[in-house]
Amino acid sequence: MNVYDSKRIIDTLTKSEFEQIDNSKNADILIFYTCNIREKAAQKLYSNIGFLKTKKTKVIAVGGCVAQAEKDLIFNHKGINISFGPQTYHRLPEHINDILKGKKDKILDLEFDQDKKFSSLPKRKNISYSEFVTIQEGCDNFCTYCVVPYTRGREYSRPVKDIITEIKELLAIGAKEITLIGQNVNSYHGEAPYITIGNSRNTWRIERLIQEIAELDGLKRLRYTTSHPKDFTTELMEVHANTPVLVPFVHIPVQSGDNRILKLMNRGHTAQEYLDKLSKFRDICPNIQFSSDFIVGFPTETDEEFENTVKLVQEAKYTISYSFKYSRRKNTPADRMIGQIPEDIKEKRLDILQKTLLKDQICFNRSLLGKTQEILFDRIGRKEKQYIGKNVFLQSVVVESDENLIGQFRNVKIDSAGDNSVKGRIV
Ligand code: SAH
Ligand code: SF4
């Protein structure tokens, strides 16, 4: 989502009198767009400001979730002029001009203004072949470890019409793959584009939205992320089975495999309920693959409870997963819990979990050997003539080619499989 927001900030500024340049050394204005989900991201901000600031710098703006969480404390760090939240970046040109003209010295803009933000954003430009589109923002789930409901605000779903318009714009200028994004896309309930009998709220859910998007000319692949297990419906599984452009790969984070910890986290489901959803999904869509997020060392987590997470992983069989040590976030309920887990125990648990996850990842990569897959190439590799693309499972696939493959879909036969990427040749 921060990649999406950053691109929209560039669109907004370049539509006004500003220009994006390649080298920060020559920049008058430095903009930092931040994440606050774990502690490290906030620490990086302050060291990056020190590193990138030069004598030429006239304005430093810090945006995103660190700005939203720190409020005016952010100005304790010397040199920062503007602090803007994730919902106010449409006003950035105005704020930068106020600082440049000397009208103001410091500006704090942290309102939750989703409606106005999306309606003020200009047309998309400078895009890649694979693009994100925000459909939903904010979260009402209040998982006890998480800052998102406080930094991104309450749930907001963009109207269907706006999402379709943005995707059509992207497809018209070359995008081929679209990823619908939101903190919890499965609770999407955006204003419908027309009134339908029997739909008293006149909103569409994600299932209907996907079906509408899938019909758009030029769209080759469609993804969405992130899904909350408790909101994942059987209907959405059926949409997967009937919608060829929708990839057979879904990120459904579970966080823990232990029922007591899941309850303390306020996730709203048990480990078994989660596993049952995965197996129902596999029944409906036999080629579906899953990825997940995990948090180890949540307050009071015992060794046995951590073992339940390892057991869940062994049963769920993920293609890839992301795992993190629990990070204390200010003003969240978990931060106030007694029984915080020491860092060395979190480290050990993370190591065990990551080794377990890697085994399945390698196993999945190997299962592709000899198979032909359609790859969308979007990067050049480190070696000459090397191109890197993604398959439907978001795995990086490397090939050699004399022809420039960027932006192309090609069938590739996989002939070698490493831990993190696979190699192949064009067929
Ligand atoms: N909305 C998504 C997650 C968004 S945050 C969901 O509910 O699944 C992305 C991931 O960061 C989470 O899935 C979680 O694994 C991790 N995360 C969030 N807060 C964290 C914290 N305080 N410490 C460690 N990891 C955290
Ligand atoms: Fe955070 Fe996701 Fe829970 Fe929302 S559902 S509070 S974004 S972890």
Side-chain angles (χ1 to χ4, degrees):
M1 189 164 273
N2 278 10
V3 171
Y4 175 84
D5 286 349
S6 302
K7 286 194 169 188
R8 302 303 264 146
I9 290 172
I10 295 167
D11 290 343
T12 306
L13 288 169
T14 51
K15 199 186 166 224
S16 311
E17 64 269 46
F18 303 101
E19 188 192 347
Q20 187 190 12
I21 58 170
D22 290 339
N23 192 335
S24 60
K25 275 192 200 137
N26 299 321
D28 299 313
I29 303 153
L30 293 177
I31 301 163
F32 297 85
Y33 201 69
T34 60
C35 172
N36 197 34
I37 201 88
R38 287 172 293 276
E39 209 175 356
K40 269 193 192 152
Q43 288 161 357
K44 267 194 214 160
L45 165 71
Y46 299 116
S47 63
N48 277 341
I49 292 180
F51 184 65
L52 292 174
K53 196 175 148 187
T54 68
K55 285 199 182 112
K56 276 197 138 197
T57 313
K58 296 191 181 98
V59 181
I60 296 181
V62 173
C65 293
V66 173
Q68 194 75 42
E70 294 281 289
K71 305 209 163 52
D72 48 0
L73 287 178
I74 203 122
F75 294 124
N76 291 346
H77 294 264
K78 255 179 69 192
I80 299 175
N81 310 97
I82 303 169
S83 172
F84 62 102
Q87 309 307 352
T88 57
Y89 55 75
H90 54 298
R91 289 197 281 264
L92 203 48
E94 183 188 321
H95 294 331
I96 294 177
N97 272 322
D98 281 351
I99 301 285
L100 285 173
K101 288 179 187 151
K103 281 194 194 160
K104 289 177 187 163
D105 176 36
K106 301 233 176 307
I107 297 171
L108 186 69
D109 189 358
L110 305 177
E111 270 169 56
F112 288 110
D113 214 0
Q114 286 98 323
D115 244 339
K116 270 205 210 117
K117 178 181 83 176
F118 283 111
S119 57
S120 326
L121 295 176
K123 277 193 167 190
R124 305 277 311 251
K125 49 180 193 185
N126 297 325
I127 63 146
S128 333
Y129 296 99
S130 177
E131 274 295 332
F132 297 116
V133 172
T134 295
I135 62 164
Q136 176 278 339
E137 260 202 84
C139 186
D140 291 347
N141 283 320
F142 291 91
C143 301
T144 53
Y145 51 80
C146 185
V147 288
V148 168
Y150 312 98
T151 56
R152 287 262 168 186
R154 305 306 297 265
E155 270 186 31
Y156 169 81
S157 295
R158 291 178 74 190
V160 173
K161 195 159 66 66
D162 293 7
I163 296 168
I164 301 283
T165 305
E166 188 173 333
I167 297 178
K168 279 186 178 166
E169 272 168 32
L170 289 168
L171 297 175
I173 54 174
K176 296 180 176 179
E177 176 179 276
I178 299 290
T179 306
L180 309 176
I181 53 170
Q183 269 80 32
N184 181 11
V185 291
N186 293 62
S187 70
Y188 175 81
H189 53 275
E191 189 194 318
Y194 44 80
I195 296 168
T196 357
I197 298 159
N199 181 357
S200 56
R201 288 180 66 202
N202 206 27
T203 58
W204 280 8
R205 300 199 44 87
I206 189 166
E207 294 81 358
R208 182 72 187 85
L209 177 71
I210 285 177
Q211 285 168 300
E212 188 79 5
I213 295 171
E215 296 298 318
L216 297 178
D217 279 346
L219 181 67
K220 288 274 284 173
R221 268 187 197 164
L222 183 61
R223 308 176 181 277
Y224 58 87
T225 195
T226 295
S227 296
H228 195 299
K230 77 173 164 50
D231 298 320
F232 212 102
T233 62
T234 309
E235 197 189 336
L236 184 54
M237 300 175 195
E238 282 156 2
V239 170
H240 269 269
N242 300 320
T243 314
V245 290
L246 191 58
V247 300
F249 177 61
V250 185
H251 186 60
I252 314 186
V254 66
Q255 317 297 354
S256 164
D258 183 80
N259 290 341
R260 190 186 72 90
I261 296 295
L262 282 169
K263 194 157 189 207
L264 276 183
M265 287 178 164
N266 192 30
R267 291 292 287 179
H269 61 84
T270 63
Q272 196 52 51
E273 280 161 355
Y274 174 85
L275 288 169
D276 289 347
K277 280 209 175 168
L278 298 197
S279 77
K280 187 173 203 180
F281 210 154
R282 284 181 169 127
D283 286 344
I284 296 174
C285 277
N287 62 343
I288 197 84
Q289 300 291 345
F290 302 107
S291 63
S292 177
D293 292 340
F294 295 91
I295 297 177
V296 300
F298 185 82
T300 74
E301 184 188 65
T302 63
D303 283 340
E304 292 73 32
E305 287 166 338
F306 166 69
E307 273 306 313
N308 286 335
T309 301
V310 177
K311 279 186 203 146
L312 179 138
V313 167
Q314 286 160 342
E315 204 173 327
K317 297 262 176 274
Y318 298 105
T319 59
I320 188 169
S321 281
Y322 309 91
S323 37
F324 314 101
K325 288 183 286 180
Y326 166 70
S327 170
R328 293 179 78 161
R329 308 315 290 130
K330 251 191 290 179
N331 301 324
T332 56
D335 184 41
R336 296 188 287 272
M337 287 179 190
I338 296 167
Q340 298 288 330
I341 305 295
E343 259 334 275
D344 58 333
I345 297 182
K346 287 188 207 168
E347 293 280 357
K348 269 190 210 142
R349 290 183 187 166
L350 187 68
D351 187 52
I352 297 170
L353 182 65
Q354 291 189 336
K355 282 187 177 132
T356 314
L357 289 164
L358 188 64
K359 268 190 218 155
D360 285 339
Q361 188 175 318
I362 296 172
C363 192
F364 181 68
N365 288 355
R366 296 221 173 112
S367 74
L368 301 178
L369 283 172
K371 290 196 178 137
T372 298
Q373 296 198 303
E374 197 177 35
I375 310 299
L376 171 57
F377 289 93
D378 59 354
R379 278 186 293 151
I380 47 170
R382 257 185 258 144
K383 292 190 192 147
E384 214 188 320
K385 294 184 182 176
Q386 237 184 17
Y387 291 89
I388 305 175
K390 294 257 162 58
N391 61 11
V392 287
F393 307 116
L394 275 185
Q395 289 171 300
S396 291
V397 177
V398 186
V399 302
E400 273 183 20
S401 161
D402 288 325
E403 187 198 343
N404 180 356
L405 297 178
I406 302 296
Q408 313 271 334
F409 274 95
R410 285 300 155 87
N411 283 329
V412 171
K413 188 165 182 186
I414 308 299
D415 50 23
S416 95
D419 292 2
N420 294 309
S421 69
V422 291
K423 288 188 180 156
R425 62 194 154 81
I426 295 172
V427 290

